[in-house]
Amino acid sequence: MDKPATFRDDAHFWRSPLLPDAELLTAEYFAQEFAPHWHEGFSIPVIQSGAQTYRYRGSRCLASVGCIAAINPGEVHTGERATEHGWAYRAFYPSVDWMQQLASDMAGSAVGIPWLPDGVIEDAEVSAQLAFAHRLLEAGSDPLAAENALTAGFALMLSRYARSRPAIQSILPDAVRVEMMKSRLSADLSAAISLTELAQEVGLSSFYAARLFSRTTGMPPHAWRNQLRLNRAQSLLRQNLSVTEIATMTGFADQSHFTRHFKKAFGVAPGRWRV
């Protein structure tokens, strides 16, 4: 069959400092047929449209929209379209060290490599969280939100599907560390900060720091920081500064980013709030 003009192969590999020693892939495929191959790290593709079929550990697997076609390190697999329209996915290729460290952070002590099932993971919640994290990483505009989503999405997958599921350590009250994190988040609202940097400030892992902060404040760190930005923006709106100026002063990416968050929090656009 000739390839219709609307169907194509288009793949974009890229990297993010928030997922070290790893590649990420945003792709759509029609004619692509992957030869048997393997990866040194994990392969975690999240199917966004169409369907992919692949051979893995002696079986023929089928991954459709919302599925995760997870492949463990060193395992030979193939890949090709399973529909006449091809398929699209967002894929992570995290290193063994990164995955093992996350599992250890979840457990609060060193654990082994968190091997995943020999087949398709069908879990709409996990796939949605991973796809959301992938989009935030690709956008590159908010490292705190992106790393929080990345950590939460992978932790959820491991807690449900790792063969030896890490027992997640309990969160102990720690008001001092939470106040230290708040101070760091408040110091310069326009400065980019990652979850790793925030956690290192208080001597915790990213996974534990995010859970501690959320449990104590009721919001993950990036959401708390955005609310602080909005609260400060209200004071600036009373001074009749322009919306564009206020967006810049409070650390939002641009006016539309500021307006979108302001309306979600207060129910009206900034210009209407101060009338």
Side-chain angles (χ1 to χ4, degrees):
M1 174 188 293
D2 291 334
K3 177 180 174 180
T6 54
F7 302 154
R8 61 176 184 165
D9 289 354
D10 184 29
H12 170 51
F13 272 101
W14 47 281
R15 292 182 176 86
S16 168
L18 303 178
L19 187 60
D21 302 320
E23 289 75 42
L24 297 102
L25 171 65
T26 306
E28 57 180 300
Y29 289 122
F30 176 79
Q32 176 69 32
E33 295 183 5
F34 288 99
H37 66 287
W38 55 275
H39 305 276
E40 291 187 345
F42 288 83
S43 174
I44 314 292
V46 183
I47 309 299
Q48 302 294 284
S49 66
Q52 175 194 20
T53 183
Y54 59 100
R55 295 202 65 83
Y56 179 49
R57 294 187 60 81
S59 298
R60 173 67 69 176
C61 302
L62 175 66
S64 56
V65 176
C67 291
I68 303 164
I71 305 291
N72 288 309
E75 296 289 353
V76 176
H77 58 286
T78 63
E80 60 189 89
R81 74 176 189 265
T83 71
E84 62 178 337
H85 304 298
W87 82 101
Y89 58 33
R90 290 181 171 273
F92 302 84
Y93 297 94
S95 68
V96 171
D97 288 345
W98 189 87
M99 291 282 277
Q100 188 171 9
Q101 185 61 59
L102 176 58
S104 298
D105 291 342
M106 292 167 65
S109 60
V111 300
I113 299 170
W115 294 94
L116 295 168
D118 295 338
V120 176
I121 296 174
E122 298 185 45
D123 189 316
E125 182 181 9
V126 174
S127 64
Q129 287 205 22
L130 290 178
F132 177 62
H134 198 281
R135 288 192 294 271
L136 289 179
L137 289 169
E138 190 170 27
S141 58
D142 189 340
L144 188 61
E147 190 176 4
N148 186 80
L150 174 71
T151 303
F154 270 87
L156 182 61
M157 181 178 67
L158 293 183
S159 70
R160 291 183 180 179
Y161 298 103
R163 291 180 187 172
S164 297
R165 299 174 191 174
I168 300 177
Q169 63 177 315
S170 300
I171 297 295
L172 300 177
D174 195 333
V176 172
R177 278 192 168 96
V178 172
E179 287 304 314
M180 289 173 64
M181 286 190 279
K182 284 183 177 180
S183 178
R184 178 66 176 85
L185 293 170
S186 307
D188 182 354
L189 294 180
S190 62
I193 179 172
S194 69
L195 181 59
T196 294
E197 292 168 333
L198 182 65
Q200 287 174 344
E201 289 264 339
V202 294
L204 297 173
S205 71
S206 299
F207 177 76
Y208 191 96
R211 292 180 69 227
L212 171 64
F213 194 96
S214 298
R215 179 73 60 85
T216 305
T217 67
M219 286 181 163
H222 68 280
W224 185 90
R225 194 186 198 200
N226 277 340
Q227 186 60 50
L228 178 61
R229 286 168 166 158
L230 293 172
N231 292 345
R232 292 188 178 176
Q234 286 181 313
S235 297
L236 296 171
L237 283 167
R238 296 187 187 101
Q239 299 174 30
N240 289 322
L241 296 174
S242 73
V243 173
T244 300
E245 287 178 296
I246 294 171
T248 301
M249 293 172 67
T250 52
F252 287 98
D254 51 38
Q255 180 179 334
S256 63
H257 184 220
F258 168 47
T259 299
R260 183 169 66 253
H261 280 281
F262 194 96
K263 191 171 183 179
K264 282 183 178 180
F266 303 121
V268 295
R272 294 189 61 189
W273 182 86
R274 66 177 169 190
V275 172

